[in-house]
Every structure is written in structure tokens, then in C-alpha cells.
Amino acid sequence: MKIIYNCYGGAHSSVVAAALHLGLLDNTRVPGEKELLELPLFDGTWEHDHGRLFFFGIDDKQREIYVLGKRNLGRQLNDLIHLAAQAAGITREEYLLVDALPYVNWLMVVGGYTSRRLHWERLGRPIVIRGIQTFYWQIVNKVEQVKKLVPITETKKWVLKNGVNITGDRVLARRVVRSFWLAWGITGISLDFLAAMVNNE
């Protein structure tokens, strides 16, 4: 089973959710600034990382946890991945998409934009951290629901290269989603997360 936590940039709410799932953050208290900044990928992805599937770890039930930045795809991300998975013969029981975007508040939006887009980390990070701390219990509750609902299944591993899951068969993934990609007018986002799904290792 692959569990993919996703948000706008794959740098804040999805990272915190993945960290909670793997026990990297305490789910009984709100984390401090140092704890959050020490998390892999926290406030550390850029625009060119959007659309890339980052492996975060394996939980206690051997489920693979990933983080993905989807920009403004919203629920359309589900359609893209379901379509690519269907083309690759992957069943929906093999992966779960968890939307962490509803747990983004205005502090995280302002802080994330200031830090990631304007590159003013000193100004933006304290704001986004405050936003995370404010919505922390909502994220905790969501992750606990996910951990209880997801069935345990054995699936084939995806290829991992340079921290991003990819395969050699990018052509198939691109053909499957090209019309959707152009229709939605979303450009500049990597298709690595789709290419990863057609691996038959």
C-alpha cells in the first residue's frame, strides 16, 4: 500500500501529516519550531519539485508513505492518478491519496508564499510554523483516521531515484494524461509521480 499525502507545494501540511504517520512527530503535543524545521522537506521544496513524488518512509505496517505537491490540481489530482493507475494495471487498493490541503490556514498560505515564492525564509518560516501549530490537532486527527482506515496489502515497490520515484516508461504516463494536462492549463509541474505508477518491477 502506498499512502500519498498531498498539498499545494508538498512542503508543509503534507510533510507534517507524513511525519505524524511515521511517528516522527509526537501526536500528543504541539511541536516546536526546531522539531518542524528538522523534518525532511519541511519548507524545503521549490516550484520545480511540484509534481514530484517524494518517498518519506515505511510505517509499522510496511506501508510506503509519500509526499506530493500538487499546486492547484485539487481533486483533479485524483483523476490523473486513477487514470494513470488504470492504464498501468494498478488497482485502487494499492494506493491512497490523502488531501492535506484542507488543513492549510491563512498563516500557512502567507508564510509559505513568503518563504517559498519570495525566498524570504526568515520572515516566512515563523509565520508558516505558527499556522502549522494552530491547525496541528486537525492534522493529527486526519492522520489517525487514515491509519485506521487503510487496509494492509502487499504491492510492488516503485523505483526510487534521487529521492523521486520514476520509471523509464515516461512516455506512457505522459500520453495518458497529456489531454487532461493541457485542458487544465497546468504547466511546469513534473510528471514524475505519474511515471512512477507505470513501473512493473
Side-chain angles (χ1 to χ4, degrees):
M1 163 66 72
K2 280 79 171 169
I3 302 175
I4 306 170
Y5 288 99
N6 55 87
C7 63
Y8 182 86
H12 302 118
S13 60
S14 60
V15 169
V16 171
L20 277 165
H21 191 115
L22 293 171
L24 301 179
L25 287 176
D26 192 334
N27 64 358
T28 64
R29 62 175 178 81
V30 176
E33 177 180 346
K34 184 175 183 292
E35 292 173 281
L36 291 172
L37 291 177
E38 288 177 347
L39 294 176
L41 299 179
F42 185 84
D43 201 49
T45 58
W46 303 98
E47 287 188 25
H48 64 267
D49 294 317
H50 296 170
R52 293 185 176 183
L53 190 65
F54 287 95
F55 176 73
F56 216 77
I58 298 177
D59 71 8
D60 57 351
K61 293 182 173 62
Q62 299 304 304
R63 298 173 294 198
E64 300 166 29
I65 310 302
Y66 298 85
V67 167
L68 173 67
K70 62 182 177 181
R71 287 195 192 171
N72 292 320
L73 273 173
R75 292 191 60 82
Q76 295 168 338
L77 173 74
N78 296 31
D79 298 331
L80 279 168
I81 290 187
H82 293 333
L83 186 61
Q86 184 178 14
I90 299 173
T91 67
R92 293 196 182 189
E93 287 72 27
E94 294 185 55
Y95 64 94
L96 176 70
L97 304 172
V98 182
D99 187 5
L101 201 53
Y103 309 99
V104 174
N105 54 34
W106 69 271
L107 286 170
M108 295 165 67
V109 172
V110 173
Y113 181 86
T114 304
S115 178
R116 298 296 83 205
R117 183 65 64 86
L118 301 181
H119 298 187
W120 296 344
E121 288 91 350
R122 276 191 171 183
L123 179 61
R125 282 182 176 173
I127 300 174
V128 78
I129 286 171
R130 180 58 179 167
I132 287 286
Q133 292 171 331
T134 302
F135 264 31
Y136 189 68
W137 296 118
Q138 287 91 324
I139 302 175
V140 168
N141 290 336
K142 179 62 177 180
V143 171
E144 290 304 311
Q145 292 173 11
V146 170
K147 293 172 72 173
K148 291 177 182 177
L149 291 175
V150 177
I152 305 171
T153 59
E154 292 187 5
T155 58
K156 301 171 184 176
K157 288 188 176 295
W158 294 345
V159 171
L160 186 67
K161 180 179 180 181
N162 297 329
V164 180
N165 289 63
I166 64 172
T167 72
D169 197 352
R170 292 172 177 267
V171 176
L172 174 59
R174 289 180 185 274
R175 285 177 178 173
V176 168
V177 301
R178 185 176 300 277
S179 60
F180 291 89
W181 209 255
L182 295 176
W184 289 327
I186 299 169
T187 59
I189 301 180
S190 168
L191 294 185
D192 282 334
F193 73 96
L194 294 168
M197 302 190 70
V198 301
N199 175 50
N200 292 315
E201 182 186 277

